[in-house]
């Protein structure tokens, strides 16, 4: 038993001390997989609902420069409500945007690169990049949406612990109980 406890504690300590890989940038491609974008989101690639988030998109396809395409960022929430965030070009291959996520939840970020009209250009279709962003900090949806009954959760846990203790006590004392009832 002592060896098991030592092994368990050593494993737990090692798991806590091993650094976890973090990603400061996210790479995602367009619908056809032919072009890519690297996105950086502040603060800390983990936006806070109710606070301003800055997004930077580095376009990895030279054919999709900010000189030949207009970029628009659409943020789509869980109810499919679409909001457009203003974008600003940064050089010829980067775009920035500012947005305040209203509440916690999962949002789809849709960056659309629409070609600036050119009569000589054959293809005029926009290139669409999509990414699913989770917002887990900050303002929650509403107090009326789903009330949380923390006291009930604690009560259930307590009841199961007591039930477990009673079952263990009955199991350990079963011979005494049988002898006593005779």
């Amino acid at each position: 038993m002592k060896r098991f406890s030592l092994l368990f504690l050593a494993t737990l300590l090692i798991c806590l001390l091993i650094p976890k890989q973090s990603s400061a940038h996210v790479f995602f491609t367009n619908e056809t997989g032919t072009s890519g974008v690297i996105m950086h989101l502040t603060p800390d690639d983990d936006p806070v609902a109710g606070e301003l988030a800055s997004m930077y998109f580095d376009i990895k396809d030279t054919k999709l420069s900010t000189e030949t395409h207009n970029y628009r960022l659409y943020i789509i929430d869980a109810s499919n409500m679409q909001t457009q965030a203003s974008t600003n070009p940064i050089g010829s291959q980067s775009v920035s945007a500012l947005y305040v996520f209203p509440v916690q939840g999962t949002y789809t970020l849709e960056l659309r690169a629409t070609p600036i009209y050119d009569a000589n250009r054959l293809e005029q279709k926009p290139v669409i990049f999509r990414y699913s962003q989770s917002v887990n900090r900050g303002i929650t949806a509403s107090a009326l949406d789903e009330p949380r009954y923390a006291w009930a959760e604690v009560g259930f846990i307590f009841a199961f612990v007591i039930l477990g203790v009673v079952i263990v006590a009955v199991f350990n004392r079963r011979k005494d109980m049988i002898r006593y009832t005779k």
Side-chain angles (χ1 to χ4, degrees):
M1 183 68 178
K2 224 177 195 181
R3 283 185 184 173
F4 176 74
S5 297
L6 286 174
L7 182 63
F8 177 74
L9 287 174
T11 304
L12 183 65
L13 185 64
I14 289 171
C15 288
L16 291 174
L17 292 178
I18 293 176
K20 293 163 186 65
Q21 181 181 0
S22 63
S23 175
H25 299 83
V26 177
F27 179 78
F28 54 102
T29 61
N30 64 342
E31 295 169 324
T32 60
T34 56
S35 301
V37 168
I38 294 177
M39 180 186 73
H40 177 70
L41 186 88
T42 58
D44 305 322
D45 285 318
D46 187 14
V48 179
E51 294 181 15
L52 187 66
S54 302
M55 293 168 264
Y56 302 96
F57 300 93
D58 186 17
I59 298 102
K60 291 300 174 187
D61 188 343
T62 55
K63 293 181 263 174
L64 297 175
S65 76
T66 57
E67 294 152 359
T68 60
H69 288 74
N70 287 324
Y71 282 88
R72 293 205 174 16
L73 178 65
Y74 296 92
I75 292 99
I76 304 159
D77 65 12
S79 65
N80 279 336
M81 189 165 145
Q82 186 172 311
T83 308
Q84 183 178 342
S86 62
T87 57
N88 299 310
I90 303 173
S92 64
Q93 293 300 119
S94 297
V95 176
S96 70
L98 299 173
Y99 185 71
V100 176
F101 292 96
V103 294
Q104 292 182 19
T106 302
Y107 295 85
T108 300
L109 305 180
E110 190 173 280
L111 183 66
R112 294 182 192 170
T114 307
I116 297 171
Y117 182 75
D118 182 0
N120 298 327
R121 182 174 253 183
L122 296 175
E123 190 174 325
Q124 297 290 328
K125 288 190 242 173
V127 179
I128 300 172
F129 300 93
R130 282 192 185 95
Y131 178 70
S132 182
Q133 177 65 48
S134 209
V135 178
N136 299 318
R137 301 186 298 166
I139 301 170
T140 56
S142 170
L144 300 175
D145 285 349
E146 274 187 50
R148 196 166 158 159
Y149 300 105
W151 60 269
E153 293 171 6
V154 171
F156 276 121
I157 292 170
F158 184 72
F160 282 118
V161 167
I162 295 297
L163 182 65
V165 168
V166 168
I167 289 172
V168 168
V170 167
F171 184 76
N172 287 339
R173 309 269 301 178
R174 69 185 180 281
K175 290 180 185 175
D176 293 338
M177 293 170 100
I178 293 170
R179 197 171 348 124
Y180 183 74
T181 55
K182 288 183 182 181

